[in-house]
Amino acid sequence: MATRSATPARFDGFPLELFSFLEGLEEDNSREYWEAHKSTWKEIIQPAVENLMRDLEPRFGALRTFRPNRDVRFSRDKTPYKTWIGVTTTNRAVGGVGSFMRIDAAGMAVAAGAMAFAPDQVKKFRDAIDEERSAAEFCTICRDLDAHQLPVGPGAQPPLQRPPAGFPPDHPRIDLLRWKGAVVIKEYARADWLTTA
């Protein structure tokens, strides 16, 4: 994750150039495209994201942004650049619990929770879901959030296909026991308000 500079300015919305830059990157995810549009990234997009982070830090604490280049070492997809920009409260992709914002050419998503549990978190989550009282509390929270159009989901990784070891297939909460994360995600389609303060 990249660190940010400290230029004092307010966030006035995502610039239109951000969306056109990301649309272009989706069409031509190459070093040539990146180099030809690097000044847009450095002079317009990065400062806007830094200003957003600065404005949000009093409420969320220290924030981080992701590097634009992808780690392609173990991926079949060798495209070199992310076609989205993300800001997060945690520096841990696995095991991190916090808030996250992602913006791409189509719009924005905000999330809170654990996108991917670490092994010790998986065990704690399954123990809590197996226990009646804590499971009832979790399910109440999920229903309350769902009533506000904020559904709780299993995070970034698909749930297990089979019951986890030690749990019977007819467990009353087997669907939850298969989760490898727990997160609330709210998505917003691209709209004019994204370009405003």
Side-chain angles (χ1 to χ4, degrees), residues 4 9 29 45 81 94-96 110 118 120 127 137 139 141 143 150 157 159 174 183:
R4 58 187 181 77
N29 196 314
I45 297 170
Y81 302 102
V94 175
V110 290
D120 64 317
D127 289 347
E137 184 179 352
C139 290
I141 291 167
R143 280 192 300 275
L150 295 167
Q157 299 174 345
I174 193 63
V183 67

Side-chain angles (χ1 to χ4, degrees), residues 46-57:
Q46 263 189 319
V49 173
E50 290 171 358
N51 293 340
L52 172 66
M53 291 168 63
R54 189 173 305 102
D55 285 359
L56 291 176
E57 280 182 345

Side-chain angles (χ1 to χ4, degrees), residues 6 21 25 32 67 69 73 78 100 115 140 145 150 154:
F21 174 85
L25 196 57
E32 292 75 24
R67 285 188 217 105
N69 43 322
R73 292 174 297 172
K78 299 299 183 187
F100 174 76
M115 290 300 272
T140 298
L145 288 166
L150 295 167

